[in-house]
Amino acid sequence: MSDTLGTGPATGRRSQGTPKAGGAVGSAPPAAPRAASRRRGRAMMRLEIAVLSGPAILMFLAFVIFPVALAAYYGFYRWHGYGAPTDWVGLNNYRLILDDPAFHQVLKHSFMIMGLSLVIQAPLAIGLALLLNQKIRGRSVIRVLIFVPYIISEVIVGTGWSLMAQSDGAINDLLRHIGLGSLQADWLSNPKLAIWTLMAIITWKYIGFAVILMLAGLQSIPQELFEAASIDGASYWQIQRRITLPLLGPTIRIWAFLSIIGSLQLFDLVYIIWGQYVSGTAGTSTMAIYMLAQGRNAGNYGYGSAIAVVMFLISLIVALIYQRFVLRRDLRGAVTEGTV
């Protein structure tokens, strides 16, 4: 009896500890295969990222980074656009830019255009988007008509408006025929009116893009929020103020960022309508117009390259500041860190 009692538990322990032919029951796989599997997964992920993003990175390096670096290199020379640059001037080109009153003037114009674009287009775009988000007759046609100017070439827009806004153009002729001849003016050459003429053209041209973005933002807001607010007795304007505008904030901030960068780099409309010389006297010249006039047209490509670098740095600084203080709430959580 004692032998049976003594050997029973021992035998049980031996039977539990004895592995079967297929391996230990319930044991986890070894750590080495798991680590190798994770390494293979990371390698495949990196390879996939490289294959998918490689062409875009190459295009960015070839058409953005390389031209900027080349312009910075030429900016250290007095170079006329042909042959190897040999006349080294160091930072003299950049000192000339910063000391030139004409550059200060075009910089002022560029920031004025940027501010006016935000102040004028934002309320109009939000108002039109709210209107076109309602169930009204013909809203699809109105959306198309508002968006059409955005897809028209800047050359066509600039040429058409330059013809209509001349002293003997269609605008003054229309004012005369409807009995408002006293309002006729020199819309392009008068420095007090030219900047507002430019802002009217810019607004007409680009308001469609802003409206489409706002409409897309409105479509992403759940309708249940509006219905709940209406049931609670909120008025239409209270709903727009307390619900629509806060939830539309990310879309507004992204549009504002695109508008700011576009305003700082504005060139085509000003050049087509006013040209490089009239734009200076009319008060509509921009940094890009100044770069063209002082660089290529003056035969001083080194100085023009330095202007391009300064314009790039100004745009970059504005973009970084805007991202740091305005877009930070939208970018927070957009990029997550983790391991595969």
Side-chain angles (χ1 to χ4, degrees):
M1 177 68 70
S2 60
D3 293 340
T4 304
L5 294 175
T7 58
T11 305
R13 284 195 298 269
R14 285 195 300 270
S15 62
Q16 292 176 1
T18 304
K20 294 182 179 181
V25 177
S27 61
R34 288 204 308 269
S37 177
R38 285 198 298 267
R39 285 195 296 269
R40 284 195 300 270
R42 294 194 189 100
M44 291 300 297
M45 184 184 67
R46 294 191 185 98
L47 179 60
E48 182 179 357
I49 293 174
V51 170
L52 295 177
S53 62
I57 294 175
L58 291 176
M59 293 286 287
F60 181 78
L61 292 174
F63 294 101
V64 177
I65 301 301
F66 178 72
V68 171
L70 197 61
Y73 169 74
Y74 288 139
F76 293 115
Y77 292 89
R78 184 179 291 109
W79 185 52
H80 299 293
Y82 54 88
T86 56
D87 191 359
W88 172 270
V89 294
L91 295 175
N92 187 56
N93 285 332
Y94 297 95
R95 284 195 294 266
L96 291 176
I97 295 172
L98 299 179
D99 294 337
D100 189 357
F103 179 76
H104 301 163
Q105 194 69 16
V106 299
L107 184 63
K108 175 184 175 182
H109 293 163
S110 296
F111 276 94
M112 183 183 300
I113 293 170
M114 179 188 73
L116 290 175
S117 296
L118 297 176
V119 172
I120 295 174
Q121 292 186 48
L124 285 177
I126 295 173
L128 288 172
L130 290 174
L131 176 63
L132 296 176
N133 198 42
Q134 305 296 321
K135 294 182 179 180
I136 59 175
R137 181 177 298 178
R139 66 174 181 176
S140 299
V141 177
I142 299 174
R143 290 178 180 178
V144 172
L145 292 177
I146 291 177
F147 190 70
V148 162
Y150 179 73
I151 62 177
I152 298 177
S153 169
E154 279 78 2
V155 175
I156 297 175
V157 172
T159 303
W161 278 100
S162 64
L163 293 174
M164 290 190 296
Q166 291 178 359
S167 299
D168 56 350
I171 296 178
N172 284 337
D173 190 59
L174 176 63
L175 292 174
R176 184 172 60 254
H177 278 81
I178 63 176
L180 298 176
S182 59
L183 297 180
Q184 296 181 89
D186 191 354
W187 304 103
L188 299 180
S189 301
N190 188 343
K192 295 181 180 180
L193 297 175
I195 186 65
W196 298 107
T197 303
L198 175 62
M199 294 314 305
I201 297 172
I202 289 176
T203 302
W204 178 84
K205 176 75 170 69
Y206 296 107
I207 192 67
F209 176 71
V211 171
I212 293 299
L213 281 182
M214 301 304 172
L215 281 172
L218 290 174
Q219 295 296 324
S220 66
I221 301 176
Q223 293 298 317
E224 291 80 4
L225 297 177
F226 301 129
E227 296 172 359
S230 299
I231 293 174
D232 289 340
S235 65
Y236 174 80
W237 295 111
Q238 288 176 330
I239 292 175
Q240 307 312 319
R241 180 183 176 187
R242 301 293 185 181
I243 298 177
T244 304
L245 289 180
L247 295 179
L248 197 60
T251 303
I252 297 174
R253 289 188 285 270
I254 290 296
W255 166 81
F257 177 76
L258 298 175
S259 179
I260 288 171
I261 300 302
S263 299
L264 292 176
Q265 299 176 354
L266 181 64
F267 170 77
D268 37 22
L269 287 177
V270 177
Y271 182 75
I272 294 167
I273 298 174
W274 282 273
Q276 58 177 319
Y277 302 110
V278 180
S279 61
T281 58
T284 58
S285 184
T286 62
M287 289 188 289
I289 297 292
Y290 177 80
M291 176 184 66
L292 176 70
Q294 301 296 325
R296 191 194 71 178
N297 293 346
N300 192 350
Y301 285 81
Y303 188 64
S305 298
I307 297 172
V309 172
V310 171
M311 186 169 66
F312 169 79
L313 291 176
I314 291 174
S315 301
L316 178 63
I317 291 172
V318 171
L320 291 177
I321 293 175
Y322 189 88
Q323 178 178 333
R324 174 65 176 82
F325 294 101
V326 180
L327 290 181
R328 184 179 182 182
R329 67 181 71 178
D330 302 322
L331 298 177
R332 187 184 296 117
V335 178
T336 58
E337 295 181 359
T339 59
V340 178

